[in-house]
Amino acid sequence: MRAMSLILRVCRWLFVGTATLLLVALMLWGYRDRSVAGLAGKYAQPPSQFADVLGMKVHLRDEGPSDDPTPIVLLHGTGSSLHTFDAWVASLSKQKRVVRFDLPGFGLTGPFPDRDYAMDKYVAFVEAMLNNLEIHKCVLAGNSLGGNIAWNVAASRPERVELLVLIDASGYPTAAKSVPIAFRLARVPVLNRLLTTITPRSLVQASVLNVYANKAKVTETLVDRYFELTLREGNRQALGDRFRTATESKTNLIKQITQPTLIMWGAEDQLTPVDMAVRFEQDLSNDRLEILPGVGHIPMEEQPAESLAVLCSFLGLKLEN
């Protein structure tokens, strides 16, 4: 009886201790979801607009000459938003129509209604966006997850893609040298549920720092953007849902891609290391590989001028200041 009583007391104290820790965590780092209306004033200023696509109100920006027959379509990565391409678009839109949008699960677009984040869903979403914007053929560029989606679109809908640009793209099985802590926690049962409420800003900051080679370029404003858009209603749940979605490897399709392809990679990328770029180069039949020294996983943010120069050279565009 004494042993049972001791066990019960220990269990009770463990419960009380855990509940206390959770309460303290909620008080210090608990954040409610933020509405699109509350975030739009800061992150959806003109030329932002919203389009009704597949049951979602998709946040997008469509800039540059509207009569451009082959617009540039830009796809961001996990945890990011269309703002990751701000520096590029400021220059590109002077010559080309440039379209970018927040992918489902991120930014102001928010989650897929059915919480299904299979690659086929993302491919269908991109095609639906192209149809909505009356884009018949485009230059399709993507970073990280966006790159994965881009090459899947190029392989399965080749008639929609004239040129392909892969920027530190995912897709191959990879042994990452370092993974952002938010991504690691989002894969852990129970913890990923806690993340839907308890989300320290420092966690987001550490995750952004993880994918930059030059840590000095991670500003407070940059972290604020990632953090505040993470709090968009449904996005934290969507991150856990996406990492729980079974991924089917379709890398056999890469060898079928015939469009001219630019492979742009940060030499210091720890999430999708540079040997992944070499694999793309080996499997693609019509490609150009550019490795950017001293750059991490997001070249468009970390080294916008240098990465844009590489893109413009590939596209045959004059670099506009």
Side-chain angles (χ1 to χ4, degrees):
M1 292 293 292
R2 284 185 176 181
M4 181 60 70
S5 176
L6 179 61
I7 291 171
L8 289 173
R9 275 186 289 170
V10 169
C11 289
R12 184 166 58 249
W13 281 112
L14 283 173
F15 175 79
V16 170
T18 301
T20 302
L21 286 174
L22 284 173
L23 180 61
V24 171
L26 280 169
M27 292 173 63
L28 292 175
W29 304 304
Y31 293 92
R32 293 184 178 182
D33 282 346
R34 296 190 184 178
S35 69
V36 173
L39 292 166
K42 187 172 182 179
Y43 296 108
Q45 291 294 313
S48 280
Q49 56 184 294
F50 289 85
D52 293 314
V53 177
L54 300 183
M56 297 169 286
K57 289 194 175 297
V58 178
H59 177 220
L60 70 104
R61 291 186 177 178
D62 187 348
E63 300 162 81
S66 59
D67 60 350
D68 186 345
T70 52
I72 300 172
V73 176
L74 302 171
L75 307 178
H76 65 77
T78 298
S80 191
S81 66
L82 60 78
H83 300 282
T84 193
F85 294 105
D86 280 350
W88 275 16
V89 176
S91 177
L92 287 172
S93 61
K94 295 175 183 177
Q95 305 174 70
K96 295 283 293 178
R97 180 185 177 191
V98 186
V99 174
R100 49 190 168 137
F101 37 81
D102 290 340
L103 293 168
F106 308 106
L108 294 178
T109 295
F112 274 122
D114 62 2
R115 296 172 60 179
D116 177 7
Y117 294 89
M119 182 53 62
D120 286 345
K121 283 292 296 291
Y122 275 120
V123 170
F125 167 76
V126 170
E127 186 169 36
M129 286 298 298
L130 296 180
N131 292 340
N132 180 275
L133 297 165
E134 299 183 349
I135 297 172
H136 304 293
K137 198 162 213 176
C138 68
V139 175
L140 188 58
N143 171 237
S144 193
L145 168 66
N148 194 346
I149 297 169
W151 68 252
N152 272 278
V153 172
S156 59
R157 312 284 195 276
E159 72 282 358
R160 308 302 295 264
V161 181
E162 183 170 276
L163 300 172
L164 179 63
V165 180
L166 304 178
I167 312 156
D168 297 75
S170 61
Y172 290 106
T174 177
K177 297 178 181 178
S178 182
V179 177
I181 186 170
F183 291 10
R184 282 181 273 150
L185 293 177
R187 291 185 171 98
V188 180
V190 180
L191 288 181
N192 55 25
R193 294 186 181 278
L194 291 177
L195 279 179
T196 63
T197 304
I198 301 171
T199 313
R201 182 181 180 279
S202 58
L203 178 74
V204 175
Q205 181 177 34
S207 296
V208 178
L209 284 166
N210 183 270
V211 294
Y212 268 63
N214 185 348
K215 313 301 183 187
K217 294 201 171 186
V218 178
T219 65
E220 293 300 306
T221 300
L222 180 70
V223 174
D224 283 344
R225 188 187 82 209
Y226 275 92
F227 175 60
E228 290 169 2
L229 290 176
T230 294
L231 299 181
R232 190 268 192 213
E233 52 194 357
N235 279 355
R236 287 178 286 180
Q237 177 68 56
L239 185 64
D241 289 342
R242 198 177 80 74
F243 282 122
R244 282 194 296 272
T245 300
T247 55
E248 180 185 356
S249 176
K250 295 186 176 182
T251 52
N252 59 301
L253 296 177
I254 295 173
K255 292 182 179 180
Q256 300 175 24
I257 295 172
T258 58
Q259 296 93 330
T261 302
L262 171 63
I263 305 164
M264 186 191 306
W265 225 267
E268 303 304 319
D269 188 347
Q270 303 298 298
L271 181 57
T272 51
V274 75
D275 57 334
M276 296 296 99
V278 175
R279 290 197 63 178
F280 275 111
E281 184 187 31
Q282 291 171 342
D283 285 348
L284 290 165
S285 60
N286 190 8
D287 65 88
R288 170 178 165 185
L289 175 62
E290 294 282 351
I291 306 295
L292 302 176
V295 181
H297 187 64
I298 316 176
M300 322 82 61
E301 287 185 1
E302 190 172 356
Q303 291 285 7
E306 293 82 350
S307 57
L308 180 60
V310 171
L311 177 66
C312 287
S313 174
F314 175 70
L315 299 178
L317 298 175
K318 180 181 177 182
L319 187 60
E320 295 280 349
N321 295 320

